Amino acid sequence: MKITPSLLIIFSVVVTSCNKDKFTTIPQVSIKSITPDFVVSGNVITLKGKFTDQEGDLDSALIVYKWYNGATAVLMDTIFRQTFKDFDLPPKTRQGDISIDFEYNTFNTGLRTLTAPNVRDTTGALGIIFIDKAGNRSVYVESAPIRLIKP
């Protein structure tokens, strides 16, 4: 049988797609959504994602924020480190969905408060890094940008 370039491409696609959903020792995380797109003071911002980890030994998540001036990121910092106990997941969970809520600019709901670092409207994004008990860290993933409107 003669191997043609198109047959080689099809084989490569099949092999790549078969390996894409494999669990790994290094935690894998992705962000599905962030809502709402335009946020005013008092709104709840919900960040949704999913994760996998081969050993099921996830320990914590670093939640990172990034503020923009136009298209340029001007500030990036870790907001907090949240333990997996706070996500109410059973021990040894190898995969699942997560949802993290923030309250923007007020303290009305008892949620973690997210406050923009300047006095004008701005754009921001939230990111996540998962860490397991062995110290393995996932790749940093970031949400789509959202518009934060100052009161």
Side-chain angles (χ1 to χ4, degrees):
M1 180 172 144
K2 184 177 178 184
I3 297 178
T4 64
S6 59
L7 185 59
L8 189 58
I9 291 172
I10 291 170
F11 177 74
S12 297
V13 169
V14 169
V15 169
T16 303
S17 65
C18 289
N19 288 331
K20 120 177 162 180
D21 293 329
K22 299 284 184 191
F23 288 27
T24 61
T25 296
I26 296 173
Q28 306 294 309
V29 62
S30 64
I31 294 177
K32 292 192 224 178
S33 66
I34 186 167
T35 55
D37 294 332
F38 292 88
V39 183
V40 296
S41 188
N43 280 161
V44 173
I45 301 167
T46 301
L47 181 69
K48 292 186 178 186
K50 63 181 182 177
F51 68 90
T52 62
D53 182 58
Q54 183 170 333
E55 293 79 17
D57 65 342
L58 291 171
D59 178 62
S60 56
L62 294 177
I63 310 301
V64 177
Y65 66 73
K66 188 185 280 187
W67 303 125
Y68 293 89
N69 183 4
T72 305
V74 292
L75 177 63
M76 184 173 174
D77 198 6
T78 302
I79 300 174
F80 64 91
R81 184 174 184 152
Q82 183 165 349
T83 67
F84 264 79
K85 293 175 190 170
D86 297 337
F87 288 121
D88 293 327
L89 296 169
K92 297 292 185 184
T93 300
R94 296 181 64 220
Q95 70 179 4
D97 295 320
I98 58 163
S99 181
I100 306 169
D101 294 325
F102 303 88
E103 179 178 3
Y104 178 58
N105 217 31
T106 59
F107 299 93
N108 297 330
T109 63
L111 297 172
R112 293 192 185 272
T113 299
L114 182 67
T115 305
N118 53 34
V119 293
R120 62 175 194 228
D121 294 355
T122 191
T123 301
L126 293 172
I128 300 177
I129 300 170
F130 279 11
I131 304 168
D132 67 14
K133 291 181 178 155
N136 297 310
R137 291 176 174 238
S138 70
V139 173
Y140 170 77
V141 293
E142 186 174 286
S143 73
I146 57 174
R147 191 71 179 153
L148 303 161
I149 310 300
K150 281 299 238 184

